[in-house]
Amino acid sequence: MSNISAPEQNASPDPSGSGDALLDISDLTVHFRPGGRRIDALRNVSLTLGRGEFVSLVGPSGCGKSTLLRVVAGLHNDYSGTVTIDETIREQSLGFVFQRDALLPWKTVIDNVATGLQIRGVGKAERRDRAREMMDRVGLAGFENAYPNQLSGGMRQRASVARTLVYRPSLILMDEPFGALDAQTKGQVQELFLSIWDEMRPSVIFVTHDLAESIYLAERVIVMSGRPGTIKTELDVDLPEPRTSPFEIWKDDKYLSLHGQVWDALKSEIEES
Ligand SMILES: Nc1ncnc2c1ncn2[C@@H]1O[C@H](COP(=O)(O)OP(=O)(O)OP(=O)(O)O)[C@@H](O)[C@H]1O
Ligand SMILES: [Mg+2]
C-alpha cells in the first residue's frame, strides 16, 4: 500500500490496519476557495474498499461525490486526511468512467476502446484483438469502424465501459456513468455491466443519483449527507445472487425494504440541501 498524496500528513503506510483493503480513506476533508469564498466539500470522510468489492455512493447534489472520486484518482491533491491505495493501482490499473462518454470523436470505436491498451504499451495486433473481444462482449460487434457520432447514446456509453474494462483495471471509479440513458437502455447496460463485473471482479466505486441502481449493482450502499459531505450511513445489500434483472428486482421484498432504508437516510439531506 502507498499513500497517493499529501505525504506530510500521511506517514503511516496503512493507517487503518485494514488488511486486505485495496483502498482506505480516513478523515478526508476537502475545501475549495473559488474567488476567495470557502466551500467545505467533504468533511472527515472515512471509507474502506475491499478487493473486488462493489460499493455505490449516493448523496445530494454538491455533497462531494465527484470530488471524492477525483481525490482517489489522484486528480485532486489538496486535501487533509489519508488516502491509502494499493501502489500498483495508481500506476497501471485504475479506470474512470464519467457521466458523459469521453470518446474521441476523430477515432473509430475500436481505436477508442483500445486507447487504454495503447497507453499501456500493448502492441497493435493484440490491442485490436482485445478491443474487438470486449466490443463483442458489450454488444458492439460490427461497429468497430464506426465513429462515436454514428452510435446511439447507449452504444457510446457501452463503448466507454468497454474502453475501461478492456485493460482489466483492479479499481474502477464510475461517476454517474449511466445517468444520461433512458430507463430501458440503462437497465440493459446495468445488467451487462454487472455480469462482466462478476466475471472480472474489479473493485468499484459507483456514484449515482438513482437509488434503484445503487442497490441493484452494489454490495454496499454508502449514503452521504449534504455539503459538507460526510458519510451518513452504509447499508449492506444482501440480495440473493445472482441478481435478477433490474426490470424485475422491484418484486423482491428485500430490495423494497433496502430502497426504503436508503431513501429514509437520504430524504432529509435532500430537503436540507
Ligand atoms: N474545482 C472546484 N473549484 C471550486 N469548487 C468546487 C470545485 N469542484 C467542486 N467544487 C465544489 O465542491 C462541492 C462538491 O462538488 P462535487 O462536484 O464533488 O459534488 P457532487 O456530489 O459530485 O455533485 P453532483 O451530484 O451534482 O454531481 C460543490 O459545492 C462544488 O461547487
Ligand atoms: Mg458529481
Side-chain angles (χ1 to χ4, degrees), residues 17-66:
S18 48
D20 199 35
L22 179 113
L23 170 69
D24 185 72
I25 299 172
S26 183
D27 273 335
L28 174 65
T29 295
V30 177
H31 313 294
F32 292 103
R33 284 192 176 75
R37 196 164 66 94
R38 174 175 158 139
I39 293 178
D40 294 325
L42 291 169
R43 183 181 293 161
N44 298 122
V45 169
S46 295
L47 164 66
T48 300
L49 183 69
R51 284 172 203 283
E53 191 185 9
F54 196 137
V55 302
S56 59
L57 202 56
V58 299
S61 181
C63 77
K65 303 177 295 296
S66 298

Side-chain angles (χ1 to χ4, degrees), residues 61 112 127 143 216:
S61 181
N112 265 290
R127 65 176 187 256
F143 290 89
Y216 171 66

Side-chain angles (χ1 to χ4, degrees), residues 17-234:
S18 48
D20 199 35
L22 179 113
L23 170 69
D24 185 72
I25 299 172
S26 183
D27 273 335
L28 174 65
T29 295
V30 177
H31 313 294
F32 292 103
R33 284 192 176 75
R37 196 164 66 94
R38 174 175 158 139
I39 293 178
D40 294 325
L42 291 169
R43 183 181 293 161
N44 298 122
V45 169
S46 295
L47 164 66
T48 300
L49 183 69
R51 284 172 203 283
E53 191 185 9
F54 196 137
V55 302
S56 59
L57 202 56
V58 299
S61 181
C63 77
K65 303 177 295 296
S66 298
T67 302
L68 178 66
L69 294 192
R70 288 173 55 77
V71 168
V72 172
L75 299 172
H76 183 85
N77 293 316
D78 185 9
Y79 62 84
S80 64
T82 55
V83 178
T84 310
I85 188 167
D86 188 294
E87 205 165 307
T88 54
I89 306 294
R90 279 298 309 288
E91 287 160 8
Q92 286 290 332
S93 201
L94 186 131
F96 209 136
V97 183
F98 303 91
Q99 177 170 13
R100 279 167 53 93
D101 70 75
L103 302 174
L104 302 171
W106 61 88
K107 282 191 171 189
T108 59
V109 179
I110 192 166
D111 285 342
N112 265 290
V113 172
T115 302
L117 295 172
Q118 187 174 10
I119 292 166
R120 286 164 180 78
V122 177
K124 188 165 183 180
E126 184 185 338
R127 65 176 187 256
R128 286 185 79 85
D129 283 351
R130 285 171 61 182
R132 186 169 283 115
E133 194 183 312
M134 188 49 74
M135 285 185 66
D136 200 13
R137 188 75 186 75
V138 301
L140 288 177
F143 290 89
E144 290 80 1
N145 296 317
Y147 285 88
N149 68 359
Q150 297 170 312
L151 303 184
S152 71
M155 291 162 88
R156 278 201 296 275
Q157 212 52 354
R158 276 185 278 157
S160 283
V161 168
R163 190 176 59 167
T164 297
L165 291 173
V166 75
Y167 58 87
R168 294 187 161 257
S170 308
L171 172 60
I172 308 182
L173 307 173
M174 305 184 80
D175 199 353
E176 304 185 46
F178 309 145
L181 303 179
D182 67 83
Q184 272 86 45
T185 308
K186 190 191 232 187
Q188 289 166 346
V189 176
Q190 287 168 344
E191 202 166 8
L192 179 66
F193 182 67
L194 195 56
S195 73
I196 300 176
W197 171 80
D198 202 27
E199 229 173 86
M200 294 187 177
R201 291 280 167 162
S203 300
V204 178
I205 305 180
F206 191 104
V207 169
T208 179
H209 284 284
D210 177 340
L211 303 196
E213 177 172 71
S214 76
I215 298 163
Y216 171 66
L217 290 174
E219 298 172 292
R220 183 157 53 109
V221 180
I222 298 172
V223 181
M224 292 180 69
S225 71
R227 195 175 61 236
T230 58
I231 301 225
K232 184 167 185 189
T233 191
E234 299 190 15

